[in-house]
Amino acid sequence: MKYTFPITDKKLIETLIPQKYPFAMVDGLMAYSATEITASLTVYPENILATSKQFSASGLIEHMAQTVALHTGFKYHIAKKQAPTGYIGSIKTVEVTKLPKTGETIETTAEILQEFMGVTLVNITSKVNNEIIAKAQMKTVLAK
């Protein structure tokens, strides 16, 4: 099946990640390859991890982790398989330089550095209006 990006169907996106409303922190799949994904999230005041003015740092980190989960989910979706649940195994570094305001859209790119036996090491960069607002390196682990 051929896919056209961006994919912004929230119902489809939620089938690709284990998190569901109100805890789904990705709402768009902007680009995908075997080694990289870009996902988006428009921050609304109703978001469980936002205030009326801005998104929280924990929300931003969760959005980064769900971007990685979306990569796994979409990979399994393409293969017509059920995606396994994953967890944050570790966060090596996180640098948040600016929190997104409500109404802004975050675009996060996760670069897969290494995958081995269900453990994925990624570098993640989040931007708003092409300005880098956060970077992280984390490992995610698939449930067995």
Side-chain angles (χ1 to χ4, degrees):
M1 177 178 259
K2 182 131 171 98
Y3 294 93
T4 303
F5 297 97
I7 297 171
T8 56
D9 179 345
K10 289 183 184 181
K11 289 184 182 186
L12 173 59
I13 298 295
E14 279 198 24
T15 67
L16 302 174
I17 59 173
Q19 298 80 6
K20 303 299 173 228
Y21 178 84
F23 210 70
M25 297 295 150
V26 290
D27 61 13
L29 174 49
M30 312 313 286
Y32 172 87
S33 74
T35 58
E36 192 171 276
I37 187 167
T38 300
S40 66
L41 175 68
T42 300
V43 180
Y44 292 106
E46 309 79 50
N47 186 299
I48 197 167
L49 297 176
T51 67
S52 62
K53 296 183 192 249
Q54 71 182 17
F55 202 38
S56 66
S58 58
L60 187 55
I61 293 166
E62 182 62 28
H63 164 70
M64 292 171 144
Q66 287 187 27
T67 296
V68 179
L70 184 58
H71 185 273
T72 301
F74 194 68
K75 177 171 69 173
Y76 276 78
H77 175 76
I78 291 168
K80 296 182 178 8
K81 295 180 180 178
Q82 180 70 34
T85 300
Y87 303 94
I88 297 172
S90 68
I91 299 174
K92 185 175 180 182
T93 58
V94 175
E95 180 185 341
V96 176
T97 55
K98 185 177 179 182
L99 293 174
K101 296 176 185 161
T102 53
E104 292 184 322
T105 299
I106 310 162
E107 284 201 2
T108 296
T109 300
E111 177 191 3
I112 312 303
L113 301 175
Q114 196 173 49
E115 274 185 295
F116 183 70
M117 296 184 67
V119 178
T120 304
L121 176 64
V122 294
N123 277 340
I124 307 168
T125 304
S126 294
K127 297 178 181 180
V128 172
N129 297 323
N130 286 322
E131 176 189 355
I132 296 173
I133 62 163
K135 289 183 175 186
Q137 186 176 82
M138 62 177 67
K139 285 183 185 175
T140 59
V141 182
L142 296 179
K144 297 195 182 209

